[in-house]
Amino acid sequence: MTILPPSPVAPTVDFDADGVQHGFLRLPHSRDDSAWGSVMIPIAVIRRGRGPTALLTGGNHGDEYEGPVALFDLARNLRAEEVNGRVIIVPALNYPAFVAGTRTSPIDRGNLNRSFPGRPNGSITEKIADYVTRHLLPLADIVLDFHSGGRTLEFLPYAAAHDLDDKKQEEACFAAVAAFAAPYSMRMREIDAVGMLDTTAESMGKTFMTTELAGGGTATARSVAIAKRGVRNVLKHAGICAGDIERGPTQWLDMPSDDCFSFSFEDGLVEQVKDLGDPVRKGEIVALVHPVRQTGRAPFEHRAALDGVVAARHFPGLIKTGDCMAVIATVGN
Ligand code: CA
């Protein structure tokens, strides 16, 4: 067994102290303009007594905003008297990416959600992942990692969990998804599960849920309201906050196979034929990609490989070969 060196991250908060603390995860970052400089990742810890711990994270990808908006808001407003246990809030986990407004870190181009479990002696992004893996996840009973589509994707607003080998754990994860009460709830399949916070948390036996709430590199009043309500609901579900869960109608969706994903075989101009939430039948055209070098060329047709609804779409007006054009999810019950 390899013995890993200690994490270079120094928290300025005491995870075992009662009350409300606003501080930082200070990660040394020696560089040209600051020899002994640091990346200062904001963190809040709200604790009262010995109840369960929720770890709430946003900004894992730096251009996704519902999580950061809901979590900065929660950190400012959640009082210790409301808490039985502990709430650890990191609204902008990949802080360098978040302040740059980019998916990946401008320091090392690290995609945090492909860097887990991380390395204490790796890149800045890998060091953040390693701290989460070895120091934050072990404290948590329940983990909510907020995502949205970022600048290049847009999703139906959904909370999600994954199929797991441990059916008891899977059931706990989907119960958290149901409590979040987003307009859509997803049994989610990953294109690329290696290196994700999700996979790491799940492998540690945690109750883990995530979201995809709209996207396009912004947030809306509606998507932010879903996030704020959802996170409060999850804290009530976990027994950390008192009060009734604010339920609303949710449509369960499933991603049963890799046929859900449609990738572009062409560079070109996107014509959406179906919008998010539209029902589609197998074989129907979801989007067209028009070649733009010359008039008179036939567009590339993206056809649904199964019956369902459009759950995600490429957001910008232009697309490149290999980009994900659409995700079709099947309608559950
Ligand atoms: Ca994301």
Side-chain angles (χ1 to χ4, degrees), residues 292-316:
V292 294
R293 283 184 205 228
Q294 192 186 8
T295 58
R297 297 272 191 90
F300 179 80
E301 298 172 343
H302 285 268
R303 291 178 183 274
L306 35 79
D307 291 354
V309 298
V310 182
R313 68 167 186 126
H314 182 75
F315 189 78

Side-chain angles (χ1 to χ4, degrees), residues 185-320:
S185 299
M186 181 74 85
R187 187 169 281 272
M188 195 172 179
R189 172 178 291 266
E190 299 294 346
I191 298 172
D192 186 14
V194 175
M196 295 179 73
L197 192 165
D198 312 44
T199 315
T200 302
E202 288 160 355
S203 72
M204 292 166 75
K206 304 298 176 183
T207 298
F208 176 86
M209 62 163 296
T210 184
T211 67
E212 295 289 0
L213 301 169
T218 187
T220 65
R222 178 176 182 244
S223 63
V224 164
I226 294 164
K228 286 183 177 179
R229 183 183 75 164
V231 70
R232 287 272 184 178
N233 277 346
V234 168
L235 292 177
K236 292 171 189 169
H237 170 75
I240 296 172
C241 289
D244 293 333
I245 291 171
E246 282 183 52
R247 298 207 183 261
T250 193
Q251 173 67 64
W252 283 87
L253 300 173
D254 195 357
M255 292 162 66
S257 75
D258 288 345
D259 287 345
C260 295
F261 304 102
S262 179
F263 296 95
S264 191
F265 290 5
E266 300 279 352
D267 292 7
L269 172 66
V270 174
E271 178 183 346
Q272 304 285 354
V273 177
K274 301 287 184 183
D275 282 323
L276 285 180
D278 283 352
V280 287
R281 307 288 295 181
K282 182 177 176 177
E284 260 191 299
I285 295 175
V286 178
L288 299 169
V289 176
H290 296 279
V292 294
R293 283 184 205 228
Q294 192 186 8
T295 58
R297 297 272 191 90
F300 179 80
E301 298 172 343
H302 285 268
R303 291 178 183 274
L306 35 79
D307 291 354
V309 298
V310 182
R313 68 167 186 126
H314 182 75
F315 189 78
L318 297 176
I319 194 166
K320 291 195 181 68

Side-chain angles (χ1 to χ4, degrees), residues 61 64 103 147-148:
H61 290 133
E64 304 175 5
R103 180 174 180 82
H147 285 259
S148 302

Side-chain angles (χ1 to χ4, degrees), residues 15-16 45-47 49-56 83-88 136-144 206-207 235 238 240:
F15 292 100
D16 296 321
V45 180
I46 298 111
R47 182 179 184 275
R50 296 194 167 274
T53 293
L55 173 62
L56 310 173
V83 170
N84 279 303
R86 181 168 50 181
V87 183
I88 301 171
L136 295 183
L137 286 175
L139 301 176
D141 299 291
I142 186 165
V143 182
L144 164 52
K206 304 298 176 183
T207 298
L235 292 177
I240 296 172

